[in-house]
Amino acid sequence: MSWIWDSLPVVLNRANSTNPQLTFFKFIEMKNISVIGSGTMGNGIAHLFAQQGFEVALVDLSPDQLQKGMATIAKNMDRQISKGTLTETDKAASLHRITSYTSLADGVKEADLVVEAATEKIEIKLDLFRQLDLLTPAKAVLASNTSSISITQIAAVTQRPSQVIGMHFMNPVPVMKLVEVIRGYTTSEETTRQIMSLSSQLEKVPVEVKDYPGFVANRILMPMINEAMYTLYEGVTGVSEIDTVMKLGMAHPMGPLQLADFIGLDVCLSILNVLHEGFGNPKYAPCPLLINMVAAGFKGVKSGEGFYCYPAGTKDYPVSTRFSK
Ligand SMILES: NC(=O)c1ccc[n+]([C@@H]2O[C@H](COP(=O)([O-])OP(=O)(O)OC[C@H]3O[C@@H](n4cnc5c(N)ncnc54)[C@H](O)[C@@H]3O)[C@@H](O)[C@H]2O)c1
């Protein structure tokens, strides 16, 4: 079971805090988790919490997406069973702990924590957080899994900015160990400690970072991906050559162009735009090739073609003929 910090000053020493005046909090139990969005990340986050024994409300506007999300969770649990890391009994119990909702009000009314993983659009996030502030219990913590949108800006549309935080899981959520915990300008010490502690209880490794464009993960990853695209755009070499250099030369498990296809080229473009606008530094300007590909609907895996082609039913991904020599 997991615990939430209460702001009441009950004496309890915390070895990992740097400020002794903020080391005293009371715990209350956190058990109901609402996950908003049942796409790639939302279903992974619901899977993780349910497997760790939490009651999960999975919310999506689209009944189809909810159905797909639940099917993906069951399929991914089957994969864990075949690897011997989950039993049939645990799978059934975990799935039983997830209830799906199309109504936001019903899905969040008992939440101790909301993890928002809806589409990466600022107007969607701001609207959702305005509603979440009205629909959830006053003590609930509101977290966003956003890759690039300012947590401070999201927090500012609520009446509880100290309880708003970034909880940036990596894809695929049940497998990847990192949670980037983003502390907005107004996020409290209590909320930060609570989410760091909860992330550890989920058997993840949390890293606390401040709220600046791209946080840490994407601020470092996206310029590398963008540079790989410029290298291709300038004709230095081809798609598989660039990816091979980074795989064999730097021991990256996947080349940057293929990784961009998996993340989604539209997502890469929007993160680079956030970095470019946020820092006002031309080094983050997205490669014109990326801009063209997204405008033409070539978004990588999700659209079936990016730098590589992704034919259904096979894991053999050839380089797109647009880039063959
Ligand atoms: N895909 C990744 O690799 C990745 C990694 C880390 C973080 N993220 C972040 O996670 C979030 C979700 O990304 P994703 O890739 O899962 O997106 P996705 O497109 O796969 O899923 C988004 C889901 O949100 C739903 N949705 C949209 N508006 C909604 C609303 N108002 N209420 C309820 N549901 C709503 C959509 O129906 C869809 O099912 C984004 O903020 C993204 O930046 C993505």
Side-chain angles (χ1 to χ4, degrees):
M1 247 341 127
S2 156
W3 302 92
I4 183 173
W5 300 93
D6 195 353
S7 52
L8 291 174
V10 168
V11 178
L12 187 76
N13 213 349
R14 293 275 301 159
N16 64 350
S17 174
T18 49
N19 182 345
Q21 291 185 322
L22 292 170
T23 55
F24 306 111
F25 304 109
K26 184 187 166 196
F27 286 166
I28 62 161
E29 196 175 357
M30 181 180 265
K31 58 175 195 243
N32 295 321
I33 314 297
S34 296
V35 179
I36 315 300
S38 65
T40 313
M41 296 305 285
N43 76 60
I45 296 166
H47 174 151
L48 173 71
F49 275 104
Q51 201 182 318
Q52 294 288 337
F54 294 84
E55 293 299 323
V56 177
L58 181 58
V59 183
D60 203 293
L61 292 174
S62 148
D64 276 1
Q65 280 292 95
L66 275 174
Q67 218 167 30
K68 269 194 217 157
M70 291 301 293
T72 303
I73 295 171
K75 192 181 75 194
N76 288 340
M77 286 185 177
D78 284 338
R79 195 171 296 156
Q80 289 175 295
I81 291 171
S82 68
K83 286 185 183 159
T85 55
L86 191 74
T87 64
E88 287 285 358
T89 315
D90 287 342
K91 174 189 167 189
S94 301
L95 289 177
H96 190 68
R97 283 193 282 270
I98 306 176
T99 310
S100 57
Y101 296 87
T102 48
S103 154
L104 185 66
D106 292 342
V108 302
K109 66 176 186 239
E110 288 175 3
D112 299 311
L113 168 70
V114 175
V115 183
E116 173 277 316
T119 311
E120 184 78 344
K121 291 220 164 85
I122 179 106
E123 59 282 7
I124 292 180
K125 307 268 186 207
L126 297 185
D127 182 52
L128 264 171
F129 275 77
R130 272 189 209 102
Q131 293 188 62
L132 290 171
D133 196 27
L134 300 174
L135 297 171
T136 55
K139 276 191 173 176
V141 168
L142 307 181
S144 176
N145 184 53
T146 178
S147 307
S148 63
I149 294 169
S150 159
I151 298 300
T152 306
Q153 202 179 341
I154 292 174
V157 302
T158 73
Q159 300 302 311
R160 59 178 100 178
S162 66
Q163 287 161 244
V164 176
I165 194 162
M167 207 174 178
H168 186 202
F169 291 92
M170 306 291 133
N171 185 20
V173 179
V175 177
M176 298 292 279
K177 292 303 276 182
L178 178 69
V179 183
E180 205 178 16
V181 175
I182 300 118
R183 185 172 181 160
Y185 197 76
T186 46
T187 310
S188 69
E189 176 72 9
E190 291 99 311
T191 302
T192 308
R193 297 274 69 80
Q194 165 187 346
I195 294 303
M196 293 291 286
S197 161
L198 176 68
S199 303
S200 301
Q201 285 159 27
L202 291 168
E203 296 175 20
K204 299 293 182 195
V205 178
V207 174
E208 182 184 330
V209 310
K210 294 197 181 92
D211 183 24
Y212 287 101
F215 316 133
V216 170
N218 284 315
R219 181 173 178 168
I220 294 172
L221 176 65
M222 285 300 154
M224 182 192 71
I225 285 177
N226 201 35
E227 202 58 36
M229 293 174 189
Y230 269 112
T231 308
L232 178 69
Y233 174 66
E234 291 167 5
V236 178
T237 189
V239 169
S240 66
E241 287 79 0
I242 291 169
D243 279 353
T244 301
V245 166
M246 297 306 285
K247 280 191 288 186
L248 302 187
M250 316 297 154
H252 289 193
M254 189 183 275
L257 297 174
Q258 185 133 56
L259 180 57
D261 274 357
F262 274 82
I263 293 170
L265 300 187
D266 52 336
V267 175
C268 294
L269 178 58
S270 84
I271 297 172
L272 281 162
N273 282 332
V274 167
L275 290 168
H276 192 203
E277 283 157 26
F279 290 115
N281 187 330
K283 77 176 176 181
Y284 298 111
C287 176
L289 172 62
L290 172 65
I291 296 172
N292 261 356
M293 289 174 76
V294 173
F298 293 86
K299 297 179 183 172
V301 177
K302 69 174 90 170
S303 70
E305 186 174 342
F307 295 101
Y308 296 80
C309 293
Y310 300 90
T314 162
K315 292 218 161 164
D316 184 22
Y317 306 138
V319 172
S320 160
T321 51
R322 288 161 199 284
F323 299 108
S324 2
K325 285 185 186 157

